[in-house]
Amino acid sequence: MEADAAWLPPEVFRPLGSRRVLVRGTGPLVDTVAAEVADACRRHGGAVLSGAPDDADLVLEADGGSGEGYTLARRDGTTTVTAEGDRGLLHGLFHVVRLGEDAFRGDRAPEEHRPALALRMLDHWDNVAVHPVMGQVERGYAGGSLFWADGRARDGLDRVRAYARLIAACGVNAVAVNNVNVHATEARLLTDRIGEVARLADTLRPYGIRTHLSVTFAAPVVLGGLETADPLDARVRAWWAEATARVYAAIPDFGGYVVKADSEGQPGPFAYGRTHADGANALAGALAPHGGTVHWRAFVYDHRQDWRDRSTDRARAAHDHFVPLDGAFAPNAVLQVKHGPMDFQVREPVSPLIGAMPRTRLAIEVQATQEYTGQQRHVCWLGPMWSEVLRFRPDGERAAGRLADALVAVSNAGDDPFWTGHPLAQANLYTFGRLAWDPGAEPGAVLDEWIALTHPGAPARLAEGLHAVLDSSWHTYEKYTAPLGVGFMVQPGHHYGPGVDGYEYSPWGTYHFADRDGVGVDRGAARGTGFAAQYAEPWATVYESPDTCPDELLLFFHHVPYGHVLRSGKTVIQHIYDTHFEGVAEAEEARRVWAGLAGLVAPARHARVADLFEEQVRCAREWRDQVNSYFLRKSGVPDERGRTVY
């Protein structure tokens, strides 16, 4: 089956490709723009001009800079995109494509567009060698890797080029091509296999995508034959400098390294009595002469916790480890922080680390791959979740301002013909790119863009149906899974489907502490772990008391009786029953709506989604029945509406 065109089918280029277009400027990305315009005009009957702009319907012009910004205007029948450099021209081209015919109507006063965040990156958790447990792509739900097959870089990279085009069109400008858990085979990409990475970089480069590489902190030992990886050892620093120089000799525009250290068994600076700033700065020092950046993940916690220990709190770990290091990181070191304090749950608070390190460059990391949100077998559009995170203000103020220097997502793409396994999960990939460009964008407007680009010329009924299916899908998933922010009621290991006590007595620190009297984790300062006090005011006070804590986060911050009354007027136990029944009903309704869109969607796409809706409804019912049964037995309180709880 031929790969799906996602949000760039040829038809979306018709408004541009049916007109007279002039492209002016120099640079490799100007060449990409010119090729896109030529192809569109060939398909749709327009003309590529080489003369004066007076004859053009559209002028795309770049100056000699390297910026990503551009100005869009229309006057006297000519639309113009004037870019700060060839990167800006590429983004301006795709803006015109998004506008469609509207780009060529009336007059348009000059509009300046530039990204709010300079780095907008996708991290691929792809393995070169198939891992015996995690497979080709760790937490991947869209087939195999786009980049790697049979233990090496793929021979044909046309699909990689098409992927670069797709993600550039929504604003992404960087990709890390391998898993943050760097195994033995993948470690060698840094040295004797760097040529394979260079081939990928050559393929991504024409669309302005810089290549990054995940590396192991222990590389000087694993690859260099040293007996130590101590970041303060001069030999270790020299090894990193030499290895990095060889990387840049192969890939002159290499973006930098991604590192997971002292986390879930990965080696790190703690083994040598050093701090994470020491570790990050050793790699940053090697990268600095070449203009590279190290992304140092803050996902550091005790994963060998005693479940009986109520004082150790995984949620506290990142703040405890890293806030004392604020100001100690090199200028080209970026601390990459998961958006929540735990692990990409369907509902958790924004990490208190965000906003707590004003002298450190931060990247916010989100998860487009749906590890805990249905694994691309369930519809779960995450735009509203990400928007809530990006609009959060640590000081409680509404004033504009950015939370971080970069936005990173764990990619949800693979070699599946539909790119993301579930065709509707493409909306998450597109939405990430657009929110990374403009964190203040309205998710609903971004979804409108995705619908119009993916289904050009479709009747209004299709757009209405897609909104009906996608708009509330995050809340629907939340309703039939873990309630009120409690999290982690999943099957261990693969994390798909309900397992209410799956991690309850494990060393991973992911507990709900349900007993006969109540449920939830006490994270207040007065009687709990003190996690709530890691937030600045007013949030520390808001989260401290169950009377002021938002209902959707109540069980994240507090252990409360089943009879605790929420702001809705319902008790916690009745909320659990009601939402789980509601979530199943909403999934069934979404399935019905999708069935009614047959004939408006390509048959293969419609069939794939229809099949997946059957699995979603089945799994939602399983969640409902297991969660409701569990809490009926724990609490002894029946459903006040008398519905069947097994």
Side-chain angles (χ1 to χ4, degrees), residues 45-411:
V48 179
L49 303 181
S50 58
D54 295 343
D55 299 326
D57 301 306
L58 173 63
V59 177
L60 300 165
E61 183 169 15
D63 65 21
S66 60
E68 292 188 294
Y70 58 91
T71 299
L72 176 72
R74 180 169 172 80
R75 184 177 178 183
D76 298 331
T78 300
T79 301
T80 58
V81 173
T82 307
E84 298 169 353
D86 60 348
R87 292 177 182 274
L89 196 67
L90 184 71
H91 295 302
L93 167 72
F94 288 125
H95 190 146
V96 172
V97 172
R98 283 193 297 274
L99 289 173
E101 286 293 342
D102 284 347
F104 304 99
R105 293 188 175 120
D107 284 346
R108 184 182 292 266
E111 307 164 356
E112 290 190 3
H113 298 271
R114 55 178 43 84
L117 302 174
L119 191 138
R120 308 170 302 278
M121 183 159 74
L122 291 166
D123 281 0
H124 278 256
W125 287 357
D126 295 18
N127 299 314
V128 177
V130 175
H131 189 272
V133 176
M134 293 297 179
Q136 179 80 74
V137 182
E138 182 166 333
R139 308 305 180 190
Y141 312 107
S145 172
L146 289 167
F147 308 125
W148 315 101
D150 303 320
R152 56 191 175 85
R154 287 184 177 273
D155 290 331
L157 296 179
D158 288 348
R159 192 92 193 276
V160 174
R161 183 180 174 90
Y163 180 60
R165 181 174 182 257
L166 281 176
I167 59 179
C170 62
V172 172
N173 66 356
V175 165
V177 295
N178 66 306
N179 193 355
V180 293
N181 291 319
V182 182
H183 309 295
T185 299
E186 291 74 19
R188 307 203 73 84
L189 296 174
L190 177 62
T191 53
D192 53 297
R193 299 187 65 171
I194 192 63
E196 295 174 69
V197 182
R199 285 184 57 230
L200 296 174
D202 290 345
T203 308
L204 296 166
R205 186 177 297 111
Y207 283 93
I209 309 296
R210 291 182 76 181
T211 298
H212 295 239
L213 188 68
S214 294
V215 297
T216 174
F217 178 81
V221 175
V222 174
L223 303 173
L226 299 182
E227 71 277 7
T228 181
D230 183 348
L232 299 190
D233 189 301
R235 296 169 300 162
V236 169
R237 288 179 173 255
W239 186 89
W240 277 111
E242 292 168 7
T244 302
R246 289 193 295 270
V247 170
Y248 277 92
I251 311 170
D253 61 346
F254 181 70
Y257 300 138
V258 179
V259 183
K260 177 180 179 180
D262 287 317
S263 176
E264 300 181 332
Q266 294 294 313
F270 285 168
Y272 305 97
R274 309 305 187 189
T275 70
H276 277 252
D278 294 330
N281 291 347
L283 276 69
L287 289 160
H290 310 282
T293 301
V294 59
H295 279 241
W296 193 270
R297 295 180 86 233
F299 189 50
V300 178
Y301 68 97
D302 178 8
H303 72 289
R304 296 185 177 90
Q305 188 175 328
D306 184 339
W307 61 269
R308 294 162 295 191
D309 175 10
R310 298 286 180 109
S311 63
T312 302
D313 184 1
R314 172 171 165 174
R316 289 188 56 113
H319 192 281
D320 285 344
H321 283 307
F322 288 99
V323 166
L325 301 175
D326 187 29
F329 288 89
N332 64 321
V334 174
L335 192 61
Q336 190 160 305
V337 182
K338 290 192 177 186
H339 72 82
M342 294 296 280
D343 193 12
F344 302 129
Q345 296 301 288
V346 69
R347 176 75 70 171
E348 53 182 305
V350 174
S351 170
L353 197 56
I354 298 169
M357 299 184 69
R359 296 180 295 161
T360 302
R361 294 176 65 193
L362 291 185
I364 297 175
E365 181 181 279
V366 299
Q367 192 181 45
T369 194
Q370 294 172 229
E371 178 180 358
Y372 295 101
T373 52
Q375 299 192 355
Q376 283 143 244
R377 286 178 265 186
H378 298 222
V379 177
C380 189
W381 176 50
L382 298 170
M385 174 203 278
W386 297 336
S387 182
E388 282 191 14
V389 171
L390 295 170
R391 293 175 186 224
F392 179 82
R393 292 295 170 261
D395 59 3
E397 296 293 328
R398 293 179 179 270
R402 68 186 188 190
L403 292 179
D405 298 277
L407 191 64
V408 179
V410 185
S411 174

Side-chain angles (χ1 to χ4, degrees), residues 418 423 593-611:
F418 291 102
V593 170
W594 182 258
L597 300 179
L600 302 180
V601 180
R605 176 184 286 254
H606 190 273
R608 172 71 71 88
V609 175
D611 287 346

